[in-house]
Amino acid sequence: QVQVVESGGGSVQAGGSLRLACAASGSFFTILSMAWYRQAPGKQRDLVASINAGGSANYADFVKGRFTISKDNAKNTMYLQMNSLIPEDTAVYYCTATKSGNTYWGQGTQVTVSS
């Protein structure tokens, strides 16, 4: 069992920045991969970025060049640095951790970007 808890959401004006954090229980060494998803009202949940155990990252096209995913193994925490935010980034952001074929979800954190 893995528990993940997001933090760092909030409201910001367009062009601003936010950093989300995801604290995971257990050892990162045993977690195969982690990811950030987001879901805007009335829309499907989309993958934003992922990072595997080795630290390799992948990004959705709509955030490339603006968002950076990273993790601190010593703190068992993953981050999503979000720069140059636009109103279309407004959504609930979810953290996931995958271990032994099971994916665990956090409760989500709201990000609101105003124009």
Side-chain angles (χ1 to χ4, degrees):
Q1 187 88 11
V2 176
Q3 291 184 327
V4 291
V5 179
E6 305 96 336
S7 62
S11 297
V12 65
Q13 289 192 328
S17 299
L18 283 174
R19 189 176 79 157
L20 305 183
C22 173
S25 63
S27 169
F28 267 25
F29 181 77
T30 63
I31 295 175
L32 293 179
S33 65
M34 299 187 72
W36 289 98
Y37 287 77
R38 72 184 189 187
Q39 187 168 23
K43 295 189 176 181
Q44 67 181 20
R45 190 171 295 186
D46 292 323
L47 176 64
V48 175
S50 63
I51 187 166
N52 65 16
S56 296
N58 286 287
Y59 299 91
D61 287 343
F62 53 78
V63 302
K64 280 182 180 177
R66 301 189 297 123
F67 291 9
T68 303
I69 192 172
S70 62
K71 61 187 179 84
D72 184 334
N73 289 341
K75 296 182 179 180
N76 277 4
T77 302
M78 176 181 67
Y79 302 97
L80 185 68
Q81 178 66 44
M82 305 185 294
N83 299 328
S84 302
L85 285 161
I86 59 178
E88 290 75 16
D89 294 320
T90 296
V92 177
Y93 284 71
Y94 297 91
C95 167
T96 69
T98 299
K99 176 183 177 182
S100 302
N102 297 309
T103 297
Y104 303 89
W105 291 78
Q107 81 288 352
T109 186
Q110 177 70 46
V111 171
T112 302
V113 183
S114 58
S115 57

